[in-house]
């Protein structure tokens, strides 16, 4: 059976659109950009292989929204724009926002030490703060590089058993002196959220972020939860796609256990131009590069990376986990946002490169 490729391009005129496509208001963008984006993605995603969903927003207007490839290879189910995919490390910006909201309400301080909220955690005589955890400067080693975790990543483990896999490892450097991207710190931030509030990580994020923004599909992924519209994940091994192996997502609560849609991520981006969640000063901390003790910039804020794209300030993050690859990119000065969620880990089709190329097409279109 030939799979159907869903595509909604707001500024592309279709002579006879399928009845299943909802009509959309025309975009203010010239259709040249939409055609170029569609061509770029069509070249990278085959209709009979795992694919992707994408949304492109400028000045608060959705100018492109589409889906490519298959959401499920076994059942030959086509990907559709509203399907739910793992966003992996894009979760970190939501964890960071959860922490900042607690700081804003006086329930914690970013300069609180780790052992103030998790007293059982051994800091080995070092002063490790929440700020260190947020900025990947704590020196705590990465749990997911630990061979012991590879042996238990499918198991049901309580949080303290996950922490036990790395808590006794020596720090790789004194806190604040180096930058090393690790997931352990964000796992601990998730536990701090629960310790401070007495509620689950998901309950806190739902109440403080997802519900206020109307992000109805964004959620954690407990092992046995039924998630409507969930896309399956695949890896590319020795020239062919295989189903991704099972991973207990509770092990990555905080650094990467959220699922979402491109529509919800667009709502998230829109909120970051407002003070609906946090005052402007707190939001600014998220995309202000952290400075090490020696004065060197890390090019990373709180759950977000900071850089440039063709001279434009760029705030972006990749999420990569078995079977899924995601990228969210903001060009705040141009008010451009692109979110690309892929349900495969094909190294030949990187989410970051594609997302940046899409953003460049928009920049070229308005020059």
């Amino acid at each position: 059976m030939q799979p159907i490729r869903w595509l909604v391009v707001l500024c592309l005129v279709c002579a006879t659109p399928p009845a299943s496509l909802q009509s959309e208001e025309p975009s203010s963008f010239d259709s040249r950009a939409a055609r170029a984006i569609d061509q770029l993605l069509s070249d990278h995603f085959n209709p009979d292989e795992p694919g992707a969903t994408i949304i492109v927003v400028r000045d608060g207007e959705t100018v492109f929204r589409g889906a490519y490839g298959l959401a499920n290879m076994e059942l030959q189910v086509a990907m559709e724009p509203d399907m739910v995919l793992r966003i992996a490390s894009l979760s970190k910006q939501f964890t960071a926002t959860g922490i900042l909201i607690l700081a804003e309400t006086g329930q914690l301080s970013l300069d609180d030490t780790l052992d103030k909220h998790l007293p059982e955690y051994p800091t080995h005589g070092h002063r490790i703060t929440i700020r260190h955890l947020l900025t990947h400067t704590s020196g705590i080693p990465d749990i997911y590089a630990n061979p012991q975790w590879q042996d238990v990543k499918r198991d049901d483990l309580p949080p303290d058993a996950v922490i036990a896999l790395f808590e006794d490892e020596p720090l790789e450097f004194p806190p604040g002196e180096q930058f090393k991207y690790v997931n352990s710190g964000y796992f601990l931030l998730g536990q701090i959220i629960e310790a401070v509030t007495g509620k689950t990580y998901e309950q806190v994020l739902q109440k403080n972020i997802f519900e206020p923004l109307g992000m109805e599909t964004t959620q954690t992924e407990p092992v046995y939860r039924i998630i409507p519209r969930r896309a399956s994940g695949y890896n590319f091994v020795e020239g062919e796609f295989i189903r991704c192996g099972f991973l207990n997502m509770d092990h990555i609560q905080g650094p990467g256990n959220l699922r979402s849609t491109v529509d919800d991520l667009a709502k998230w981006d829109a909120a970051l131009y407002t003070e609906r969640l946090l005052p402007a000063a707190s939001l600014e901390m998220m995309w202000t590069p952290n400075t090490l003790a020696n004065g060197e910039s890390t090019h990373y804020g709180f759950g977000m990376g900071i850089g440039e794209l063709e001279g434009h300030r760029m705030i972006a993050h990749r999420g990569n986990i078995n079977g899924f690859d995601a990228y969210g990119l903001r060009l705040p000065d141009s008010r451009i946002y692109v979110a690309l969620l892929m349900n495969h880990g094909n190294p030949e089709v990187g989410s970051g490169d594609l997302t940046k190329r899409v953003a460049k097409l928009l920049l070229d279109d308005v020059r």
Side-chain angles (χ1 to χ4, degrees):
M1 180 177 68
Q2 181 67 20
I4 299 172
R5 188 189 73 187
W6 283 68
L7 177 65
V8 179
V9 183
L10 303 187
C11 54
L12 204 58
V13 178
C14 298
T16 308
S20 55
L21 290 184
Q22 296 181 352
S23 62
E24 303 280 357
E25 290 297 321
S27 167
S28 60
F29 263 90
D30 186 279
S31 61
R32 177 184 60 186
R35 286 195 296 266
I37 293 170
D38 180 36
Q39 186 62 58
L40 172 65
L41 298 175
S42 297
D43 290 344
H44 282 82
F45 299 107
N46 294 324
D48 58 349
E49 295 178 347
T53 62
I54 186 171
I55 197 164
V56 183
V57 180
R58 185 174 187 273
D59 288 333
E61 178 183 15
T62 300
V63 298
F64 190 92
R65 177 178 178 267
Y68 299 81
L70 296 175
N72 185 286
M73 292 187 70
E74 293 89 339
L75 300 177
Q76 290 287 287
V77 175
M79 187 74 79
E80 298 176 12
D82 66 342
M83 285 185 166
V84 180
L85 288 80
R86 288 177 179 170
I87 64 172
S89 286
L90 269 64
S91 305
K92 289 181 172 68
Q93 55 203 267
F94 296 103
T95 301
T97 301
I99 288 289
L100 287 172
I101 289 173
L102 295 180
E104 192 65 31
T105 55
Q107 298 178 72
L108 55 76
S109 166
L110 301 187
D111 295 316
D112 285 347
T113 58
L114 171 57
D115 52 358
K116 176 178 179 178
H117 300 291
L118 300 179
E120 300 302 317
Y121 190 88
T123 58
H124 310 287
H126 292 277
R127 186 177 185 274
I128 304 172
T129 67
I130 290 177
R131 192 182 302 272
H132 289 139
L133 301 177
L134 287 166
T135 57
H136 299 290
T137 58
S138 68
I140 295 173
D142 192 4
I143 175 179
Y144 309 124
N146 188 327
Q148 295 182 53
W149 179 74
Q150 296 294 330
D151 294 335
V152 299
K153 63 184 180 183
R154 299 171 180 83
D155 299 344
D156 288 328
L157 297 178
D160 58 349
V162 176
I163 293 174
L165 295 172
F166 63 88
E167 65 180 356
D168 291 325
E169 296 292 322
L171 296 189
E172 297 185 350
F173 50 83
E177 293 196 3
Q178 295 183 39
F179 171 90
K180 184 176 181 181
Y181 184 88
V182 298
N183 293 283
S184 307
Y186 272 78
F187 186 87
L188 293 172
L189 288 170
Q191 294 305 299
I192 289 173
I193 287 174
E194 295 193 345
V196 168
T197 63
K199 299 177 181 178
T200 68
Y201 170 85
E202 183 175 46
Q203 287 173 337
V204 174
L205 266 59
Q206 284 287 353
K207 178 183 177 182
N208 293 341
I209 302 174
F210 305 148
E211 290 178 6
L213 300 184
M215 298 174 64
E216 297 179 354
T217 60
T218 306
Q219 58 188 298
T220 62
E221 189 183 344
V223 173
Y224 303 109
R225 175 177 289 172
I226 301 298
I227 300 177
R229 310 286 291 164
R230 177 185 358 205
S232 301
Y234 301 89
N235 289 324
F236 192 70
V237 179
E238 297 181 352
E240 65 178 348
F241 286 102
I242 63 172
R243 283 188 59 85
C244 67
F246 176 76
L247 168 64
N248 190 318
M249 297 295 284
D250 289 343
H251 291 207
I252 54 174
Q253 177 173 282
N257 73 329
L258 295 180
R259 282 183 177 264
S260 190
T261 61
V262 292
D263 297 316
D264 269 8
L265 292 176
K267 294 176 182 177
W268 161 249
D269 174 71
L272 297 180
Y273 291 105
T274 74
E275 296 189 347
R276 295 177 65 184
L277 297 177
L278 287 164
S282 291
L283 288 172
E284 191 67 26
M285 287 192 290
M286 294 184 66
W287 46 76
T288 298
N290 183 59
T291 302
L292 299 175
N294 64 3
E296 180 183 346
S297 173
T298 64
H299 305 290
Y300 197 94
F302 295 170
M304 293 185 175
I306 300 97
E308 285 191 357
L309 183 68
E310 296 196 341
H312 294 256
R313 184 167 61 115
M314 180 178 71
I315 302 164
H317 211 291
R318 183 188 182 194
N320 182 257
I321 196 170
N322 59 333
F324 295 86
D325 194 358
Y327 207 88
L329 180 155
R330 313 182 72 228
L331 301 178
D333 299 331
S334 303
R335 295 183 72 89
I336 288 174
Y337 179 71
V338 184
L340 178 70
L341 304 181
M342 298 165 34
N343 68 328
H344 64 84
N346 184 351
E348 297 178 0
V349 185
S351 62
D353 176 64
L354 274 178
T355 305
K356 291 173 185 176
R357 290 175 68 181
V358 168
K360 288 178 183 178
L361 288 172
L362 266 70
L363 290 173
D364 290 342
D365 193 62
V366 297
R367 282 173 182 161

